[in-house]
Amino acid sequence: MKNFISYISVFCTLTLLTISIQADTILPYKITGEFVFIEPAVDEDPTDADADAPDASPREPVDLSDAVLTISYETTNEEGEAETVTLYEGPYEEDFEKVGEIAEPTEINISLQVSEDSYPMTLNSVIGTGSDVHFAFIDREGSYDVLWLVGATDQVMDQENKFSVSGDLSFLDIDLTNTTSVEVYARVLDDEGKLQAKQWGPVLVRDKTFLIEGDVDRPLTAQLFIHGGHNTYTTIVLEPESELVVGKLGDQTQEVSVTSGSGYHAALVESWQQSEEYIELTEAYVNEYDAYRKRREAGEPEPEVSDDEGAEVAENDSDSEDTENVAGAVVPAEGCEDAVAQESEIADSTYTPPRYVSLRNKTRDFRNGMLQEIVEGDGDPWTRYLAVEMHPYPVRDYASPLAAYRSIAEVLDEDFVAANLNPTIELLQNILVTSENDAKLIPGQKVPEFTLANYDGDDRSLYTLLADNDMVLIDFWASWCGPCIADFPELKKLHAAYTDEDFEIVGVSIDDTKEKWKGGVDDHELPWINLGELKGWEGPVATIYGVNGIPKGFLVDSQGCIYKKNIRPAALKEFLVDRYGMDESLEEPEVETDDTQEVSS
């Protein structure tokens, strides 16, 4: 008994000692930084004109005398409150070094603000992993300066879930010195079901190689980007204990190969990317694109494209929402016959895209076809889920991925479905309804009735407003929408010029707060009728009007008949001048604002 008690005593002592040692474990770290100045390119064969020109002043490096470098991390104090711990804050020197100790692997934020007037450049890394953190500020000519990690990044917080992405990019046959970076980017849902960006890198390619290490707790689709001297991206699948290797794909270098040899990446990416047919299609596309560029540079005409190729390109590249809505093809709503009569037919396009477009589409269709087969036939729900996440369906096909997500949700873990699939399913449902509503609202049909509060808080009925005017532009916008704001100056001119002709504008804000909406109205001094739904993209009015991008304008008459859809200032001016005549207050037509729409993501 005495020996047994002695044994227990020694065992307890050793256990306490082990716990004490583990609690006091310290992990050393080292953070270093460098300054890279990229010399201007030198013309080795100057022309006579260059010889007569005065000597250009050499480019000076960025002045770092006022630069502030901050290295910090977020933690939780004893009261459970979040706080920031600063490891370093001070000047940034060309050969920066910071050493210290940390209790556990910790994600840090590195921020460099070159001057008081500049925005800070930031990147994330992890200390306490056994690997040094090395970064560089790169002063680039004619481009934005950047802050990149160098050569490798170890961002592993959990060794059991570690993944790696590496590669030797010497096959690219370009100068990679201080010009090319690699990063891995994914979007994940947070605890509230909102998409958040997750990034590993960017890592400056050093000695033509790179290494990115991180961790994920489940298989995850991501994008691998190569920026700088070579620009490309490709889809990859990250999962615990996976090792992805970047290399050459066939005999071309526009698209890279990424292999793992096993796991979900092999099943979902290598299955099509490493197939002989896909490699042949990619090589044909790249070769034709190179030939196209050479013809352009030489001023040579494009060869004839066969009828089959032209039809295929037109089918695959048609992004117009209303191409089918030509005059005579629409049955107008009662009282809207005049609106259809004035809707001009869409002219047949005489432009035929070059042949490389058709070849590019074939590579895309091959990839998407194989992924769709996996979605619709593979027995493993995780494989099917990841395949849907790789977006194998056409841009405007929301029904197919929605059906796939619903099917997969029936067999995956309930908690995972609630956190990851249900928000996506809900979003797709809303987008599908919105798109269906958008397709119905075409010239010759009537817009739906709605009632919203105006700037003063009074409810206003749309059709009551329409009855008081001859023509009304219903303009959906938001205070954060750049293209919307860019349209305002020309819309103000048209509003002022044709008010006496009973032309009115009804602005409908899809901002999510009253403060943002009214702030936008005040900031831009909008003189027309302003209504606010204030429920974002998913508001009932925005949904029933098919608002999937802004600015979105409907030009309607006093009966609610749609004359023009998605109309912008230049086209609106043309319509108003044709209907009412040129107003002397209007200047010559200005260049149309960018038609690129802000869209929901």
Side-chain angles (χ1 to χ4, degrees), residues 173-184:
D173 195 27
I174 58 175
D175 182 13
L176 298 171
T177 308
N178 296 329
T179 61
T180 301
S181 69
V182 182
E183 67 177 315
V184 173

Side-chain angles (χ1 to χ4, degrees), residues 511-527:
D511 280 300
D512 53 11
T513 69
K514 185 181 297 184
E515 291 73 21
K516 293 178 182 178
W517 164 46
K518 290 192 171 184
V521 173
D522 294 338
D523 290 344
H524 303 292
E525 300 179 344
L526 304 184

Side-chain angles (χ1 to χ4, degrees), residues 412-420:
L412 282 180
D413 177 76
E414 290 184 3
D415 292 338
F416 179 82
V417 170
N420 295 272

Side-chain angles (χ1 to χ4, degrees), residues 258-423:
V258 183
T259 58
S260 66
S262 62
Y264 287 105
H265 180 86
L268 290 164
V269 178
E270 294 175 50
S271 60
W272 52 267
Q273 191 182 59
Q274 302 302 318
S275 68
E276 291 184 6
E277 183 174 355
Y278 183 81
I279 292 174
E280 289 176 359
L281 287 170
T282 303
E283 289 176 344
Y285 152 60
V286 171
N287 290 336
E288 180 59 32
Y289 180 68
D290 288 342
Y292 163 78
R293 293 181 61 183
K294 291 177 180 178
R295 289 192 295 267
R296 287 275 301 240
E297 292 172 359
E300 299 176 357
E302 285 298 298
E304 293 288 336
V305 177
S306 68
D307 292 340
D308 291 341
E309 289 178 327
E312 180 180 358
V313 170
E315 178 181 355
N316 289 331
D317 277 23
S318 177
D319 287 330
S320 173
E321 298 181 3
D322 300 316
T323 53
E324 74 278 11
N325 300 325
V326 295
V330 176
V331 178
E334 184 178 354
C336 297
E337 293 79 10
D338 185 56
V340 175
Q342 294 197 29
E343 172 68 1
S344 61
E345 293 190 11
I346 298 175
D348 293 333
S349 174
T350 58
Y351 170 72
T352 301
R355 183 171 178 267
Y356 81 83
V357 176
S358 173
L359 294 172
R360 179 196 62 195
N361 291 341
K362 287 182 178 179
T363 64
R364 179 196 62 195
D365 293 344
F366 180 85
R367 175 249 195 205
N368 290 347
M370 292 194 69
L371 288 174
Q372 288 175 26
E373 290 182 6
I374 292 174
V375 172
E376 297 161 8
D378 193 286
D380 179 15
W382 266 104
T383 305
R384 295 172 58 207
Y385 167 71
L386 293 169
V388 182
E389 289 284 281
M390 295 171 72
H391 308 294
Y393 295 100
V395 174
R396 290 187 177 83
D397 180 2
Y398 305 110
S400 295
L402 178 59
Y405 278 122
R406 284 173 171 166
S407 174
I408 297 166
E410 295 177 357
V411 292
L412 282 180
D413 177 76
E414 290 184 3
D415 292 338
F416 179 82
V417 170
N420 295 272
L421 268 70
N422 287 348

Side-chain angles (χ1 to χ4, degrees), residues 426-445:
E426 183 178 346
L427 176 63
L428 283 173
Q429 286 173 334
N430 183 267
I431 293 175
L432 182 60
V433 171
T434 300
S435 298
E436 291 174 348
N437 291 337
D438 178 52
K440 298 174 184 176
L441 294 179
I442 58 177
Q445 304 305 306

